[in-house]
Amino acid sequence: MTRPDGTIGVLLPRDIPLNDLVDYARDADAYGFGELWVVEDLGYRGGLAQAATVLAHTRRIRVGVGLLPAGARNVAFAAMEAATLAQLHPGRVDLAVGHGMPDWMRGVGAWPASPLTLLREYVEALRALLAGGSVTTDGRYVRLDGVRLDASALPEQVPDVLAGVRGPKSLAVSGQVADGTLLAEPVTPEYVCAALGSIAAHRPHRLAAYNVAVVDDDPRAALAAARPALEPLGDPDWRPHIAPLDFHAELAELRRTSADAREFARAIPDEWAARLALTGTAEQVRARIEALFDAGVTSAVLAPAGPDPRAALRALAEVL
């Protein structure tokens, strides 16, 4: 669904059963979601292969890859893949590039000494290649010598390149070099405000925001269904999301004193949990989405929770 003030999209779960993958995408298209985002997490399915598959099996929904770790692919070959998708499906492709999770990238030997430098060099080169430019650069990480895409490979509509980042320094780089920013969950209006202050873009800049979302006529059941997805939020990587909230110190202390992530998620007070996920009736979730649009989000991307992804998607479609 595309609204005057923003787009409501949905996330394709990274562990969705293979037999449900295409049907989930078709459902999202038929329900009227404006965007479908696929993820590329280490050990799961590849982002570009998923995007190609769901684009080929849907009619109009825009598909985003969120995100491609900059250290994982040579930028020229990433541009070739992205340009091919954009040629085959004009106006329906978005790309997000990010650092990748540090532990994952270290595990595959691809964590750079300067993630910020790599991100800047990579996004600048990727955007230039997709636009048809001849790129020569001798950066710290990105080195290209007169590389360009052949005219036969250039898309008519150049896909947007977003930066999928969290912290203030990375957000500032996004504002300088990317077409938009992709924020991982949880995204609250407070975090949006802090992020936009760091992004400080001087040209049009999209802001896509993931959030765990559950729609149920019973608000308590919806909140309970979302709780398992809150388990990682006490980890240091999620601090930028939590720091703008008035209970951030108490949440950090709760995680410190919890035996494990599961106990932590169970112990989060309902009031806090309700701010860390979009849960409740369709009307309540719609109101939360409106608050995100008011704060500056341009794409509210709902991440379904629960054991049955297609049933969860069907319930989320009630917000459209």
Side-chain angles (χ1 to χ4, degrees):
M1 177 180 181
T2 302
R3 305 160 39 87
D5 53 351
T7 299
I8 300 177
V10 69
L11 189 73
L12 179 72
R14 66 182 185 179
D15 58 352
I16 190 170
L18 182 60
N19 290 340
D20 286 336
L21 190 151
V22 169
D23 287 338
Y24 182 100
R26 286 172 169 161
D27 288 347
D29 195 29
Y31 290 144
F33 286 99
E35 298 174 358
L36 175 68
W37 284 81
V38 303
V39 298
E40 182 170 88
D41 287 348
L42 183 62
Y44 292 86
R45 299 183 181 106
L48 292 168
Q50 290 182 88
T53 301
V54 300
L55 282 162
H57 286 90
T58 52
R59 179 179 55 83
R60 46 131 217 111
I61 197 167
R62 195 176 182 108
V63 176
V65 182
L67 52 81
L68 300 177
R73 288 179 183 82
N74 178 282
V75 69
F77 288 90
M80 290 163 56
E81 297 285 356
T84 301
L85 286 179
Q87 269 196 325
L88 292 169
H89 308 281
R92 295 181 58 203
V93 178
D94 292 313
L95 299 170
V97 176
H99 304 306
M101 296 296 287
D103 288 346
W104 296 347
M105 301 308 291
R106 291 189 182 102
V108 299
W111 185 251
S114 178
L116 289 173
T117 301
L118 171 58
L119 183 68
R120 178 186 297 277
E121 292 178 357
Y122 198 99
V123 171
E124 288 179 334
L126 181 59
R127 293 183 68 240
L129 288 166
L130 290 172
S134 176
V135 182
T136 296
T137 181
D138 186 21
R140 182 173 178 181
Y141 299 103
V142 176
R143 298 180 177 89
L144 300 171
D145 184 6
V147 176
R148 70 186 311 158
L149 298 181
D150 188 81
S152 66
L154 289 173
E156 292 183 9
Q157 297 185 46
V158 178
D160 283 348
V161 177
L162 292 77
V165 290
R166 303 176 189 271
K169 292 182 180 179
S170 298
L171 290 166
V173 171
S174 179
Q176 293 160 11
V177 302
D179 298 305
T181 300
L182 173 65
L183 301 177
E185 71 285 354
V187 179
T188 61
E190 294 90 343
Y191 181 43
V192 172
C193 182
L196 287 174
S198 297
I199 291 168
H202 296 293
R203 57 189 177 88
H205 192 90
R206 295 170 57 187
L207 189 65
Y210 289 174
N211 270 301
V212 174
V214 181
V215 170
D216 194 295
D217 290 338
D218 180 352
R220 294 187 64 83
L223 190 61
R227 273 188 182 276
L230 305 182
E231 291 182 9
L233 302 189
D235 296 344
D237 287 329
W238 270 263
R239 187 181 182 279
H241 301 258
I242 307 302
L245 301 174
D246 53 6
F247 56 85
H248 68 93
E250 292 91 337
L251 190 73
E253 178 65 13
L254 178 63
R255 179 63 186 94
R256 189 187 69 81
T257 56
S258 298
D260 54 28
R262 187 176 183 184
E263 180 182 298
F264 163 73
R266 288 178 172 177
I268 296 175
D270 286 353
E271 180 185 353
W272 299 356
R275 292 172 63 185
L276 296 170
L278 307 184
T279 67
T281 66
E283 291 76 13
Q284 289 171 328
V285 173
R286 265 200 302 270
R288 298 286 302 284
I289 293 171
E290 293 286 351
L292 291 171
F293 288 151
D294 289 343
V297 166
T298 59
S299 298
V301 183
L302 310 181
D308 186 340
R310 293 185 66 192
L313 178 66
R314 183 165 57 249
L316 291 179
E318 294 181 26
V319 306
L320 299 178

